[in-house]
Amino acid sequence: MVKFIPVNEPLLQGNEAKYLQECIETGWISSEGPFVRKFESLFAARQKRKHGVAVCNGSAGLEAAVVALRIGPGDEVILPTFTIISCAAAVVRAGAKCVLVDSDPLTWNMDVNKIEEKITAKTKAIMVVHIYGLPVDMEPVLALAEKYGLMIIEDAAEAHGLDYKGHPCGCFGDISVFSFYPNKHVTTGEGGMILTNNEVLEKRCRSLRNLFFQSKKRFVHEELGFNFRMSNLQAAVGLAQLERLDDFVAKKRHMGATYTKSLRDIPLLQLPVVKTDYAKNIYWVYGLVLGNNLPLDTKNVMQRLAENKIGTRPFFWPMHEQPVFKKMGLFAGESYPVAERIARRGFYIPSGLALTDAQIEMVVSAIRKILG
Ligand SMILES: Cc1ncc(COP(=O)(O)O)c(C=O)c1O
């Protein structure tokens, strides 16, 4: 019987079991264990940053980043509407205002030409989000940040092993954040990492992560923090995963190239951009966008793929169309046509690290049958 092909399945075949065994044998299972610091410093070094602060997930990392940068009521943060809710939630929870930008129709990343018109006297930061395996075009964003004195929060949750003009993603933000959810190129089950070169921000993120405990008077708190700690068990898995990151990127690129070769002749089907003049895709996920003239309903195509035992996921739903934000009275009357279109016409197909060539072939043949 043909087995269901999930959208994602991680690969845990390196030193994961060995390092976990070490945690159990030594009794170091909490966040105080040695793998946490080791993972922090090696991950930071891989992304060419001075400091890494491991946290319990990427959403928590974004939340801590916004608070660490003292963004709050009266401040505005510019971010893409086409992203995960974690980005906007961090800004909204801090009491600041999200100012949204539409997407580039080809890369699906925020359209950097539309940022400057959104800058006001209240703008404090730009939150860039590298989407689905290609980076945001960072040079124009860095130039704007410089020109207007803005901070950059870099959401590199999907960008492990991705380079922009030869520099690793995660090295561009005043604070940069990664996720280690199991569909990421490096996983810890649940987990995240904050990176920065700024020692003051590093210390502040460490305190924010750890309830603002103090070293001398432990249970006396000067500020409200969170328990966003990562356990030694998670860091042990992360370290083993990090050792294989180059292989993982190569595997994902092989998957991307195979899908592209097999699907590119289907009319009106948009595939991920293989490369731009600043980056080569690492295919965090392999997304498809149905052309508007393709007389097929996205949900129906996904349903038919599921009937063929193939898992899919819809694209992100834009922030300005989120019911939760509408109820809060946010983004009324705003429209971002590119994000609205790709959200309705886009979905992604099995793209996990454990995906085999035989499974890719099955996915391709089902897509060709359905899109015929
Ligand atoms: C762009 C982006 N930012 C943030 C996150 C949140 O990460 P986590 O799921 O670890 O909270 C994700 C998760 O997939 C993401 O894709």
Side-chain angles (χ1 to χ4, degrees):
M1 208 173 80
V2 183
K3 263 181 61 191
F4 188 81
I5 307 176
V7 276
N8 174 68
E9 209 179 323
L11 266 188
L12 300 160
Q13 296 163 338
N15 284 323
E16 289 83 353
K18 183 176 155 211
Y19 295 164
L20 281 171
Q21 184 69 25
E22 207 175 306
C23 296
I24 289 161
E25 279 167 9
T26 58
W28 280 115
I29 56 172
S30 78
S31 58
E32 295 291 312
F35 280 119
V36 177
R37 279 291 183 156
K38 198 165 177 190
F39 183 42
E40 285 177 339
S41 70
L42 289 179
F43 191 80
R46 178 66 162 75
Q47 312 306 136
K48 298 208 163 53
R49 298 315 294 263
K50 285 194 192 142
H51 311 289
V53 181
V55 287
C56 56
N57 57 61
S59 307
L62 289 169
E63 200 115 339
V66 169
V67 178
L69 292 171
R70 300 181 195 278
I71 290 168
D75 296 329
E76 294 180 357
V77 177
I78 297 176
L79 71 159
T81 188
F82 186 74
T83 183
I84 194 163
I85 195 147
S86 315
C87 305
V91 175
V92 170
R93 281 207 189 97
K97 182 179 170 192
C98 292
V99 175
L100 303 176
V101 170
D102 204 357
S103 311
D104 177 278
L106 292 178
T107 65
W108 308 325
N109 270 299
M110 82 197 286
D111 184 341
V112 296
N113 298 313
K114 300 208 165 115
I115 296 176
E116 191 163 17
E117 66 201 56
K118 298 282 179 140
I119 296 174
T120 71
K122 293 180 177 172
T123 309
K124 195 130 184 215
I126 302 171
M127 185 186 282
V128 293
V129 187
H130 307 303
I131 302 272
Y132 294 172
L134 272 179
V136 172
D137 188 1
M138 286 306 301
E139 265 172 14
V141 181
L142 294 168
L144 286 174
E146 172 94 30
K147 182 171 166 191
Y148 293 96
L150 306 177
M151 294 182 289
I152 291 189
I153 302 169
E154 182 184 11
D155 181 346
E158 307 171 356
H160 323 63
L162 177 62
D163 285 347
Y164 172 87
K165 294 197 171 174
H167 303 287
C169 289
C171 82
F172 295 105
D174 292 277
I175 295 189
S176 304
V177 175
F178 284 81
S179 162
F180 302 125
Y181 189 70
N183 58 4
K184 303 302 189 296
H185 284 59
V186 168
T187 183
T188 59
E190 297 284 350
M193 184 82 76
I194 297 169
L195 299 182
T196 182
N197 283 346
N198 180 318
E199 206 175 316
V200 176
L201 286 177
E202 181 227 359
K203 290 220 164 68
R204 194 163 157 71
C205 288
R206 282 194 190 285
S207 295
L208 278 166
R209 169 185 76 174
N210 198 23
L211 294 165
F212 261 96
F213 284 133
Q214 302 196 72
S215 53
K216 292 212 176 85
K217 291 184 187 167
R218 183 171 174 83
F219 294 109
V220 178
H221 304 264
E222 295 289 341
E223 263 192 74
L224 286 182
F226 311 90
N227 178 354
F228 283 166
R229 300 185 297 258
M230 173 186 276
S231 77
N232 203 46
L233 295 162
Q234 292 166 306
V237 173
L239 191 65
Q241 289 268 298
L242 182 60
E243 290 168 355
R244 303 188 62 203
L245 179 53
D246 290 337
D247 290 347
F248 290 166
V249 170
K251 198 163 190 317
K252 285 277 199 163
R253 287 207 168 118
H254 167 76
M255 171 204 74
T258 312
Y259 271 141
T260 300
K261 193 167 74 167
S262 317
L263 297 172
R264 69 180 157 211
D265 62 321
I266 300 180
L268 303 173
L269 180 66
Q270 185 186 352
L271 308 181
V273 173
V274 177
K275 64 177 171 101
T276 63
D277 55 6
Y278 49 79
K280 269 172 68 185
N281 207 322
I282 57 161
Y283 305 98
W284 172 55
V285 293
Y286 197 92
L288 303 175
V289 176
L290 305 176
N292 277 351
N293 293 332
L294 208 56
L296 289 167
D297 175 71
T298 318
K299 268 200 204 124
N300 180 259
V301 171
M302 291 165 70
Q303 175 61 34
R304 285 167 69 189
L305 283 166
E307 285 157 16
N308 282 269
K309 296 189 186 296
I310 290 160
T312 57
R313 282 275 186 290
F315 268 16
F316 290 135
W317 195 249
M319 292 306 105
H320 67 285
E321 299 199 275
Q322 292 291 344
V324 61
F325 292 141
K326 281 195 182 157
K327 280 184 235 162
M328 296 166 96
L330 302 178
F331 315 127
E334 294 185 31
S335 164
Y336 302 94
V338 178
E340 286 162 22
R341 179 177 59 78
I342 62 178
R344 283 162 178 77
R345 301 296 280 167
F347 63 95
Y348 61 86
I349 55 179
S351 323
L353 282 162
L355 194 69
T356 64
D357 283 347
Q359 287 175 317
I360 293 177
E361 240 174 73
M362 286 159 66
V363 176
V364 165
S365 86
I367 291 174
R368 298 194 73 89
K369 194 170 73 185
I370 293 163
L371 299 189

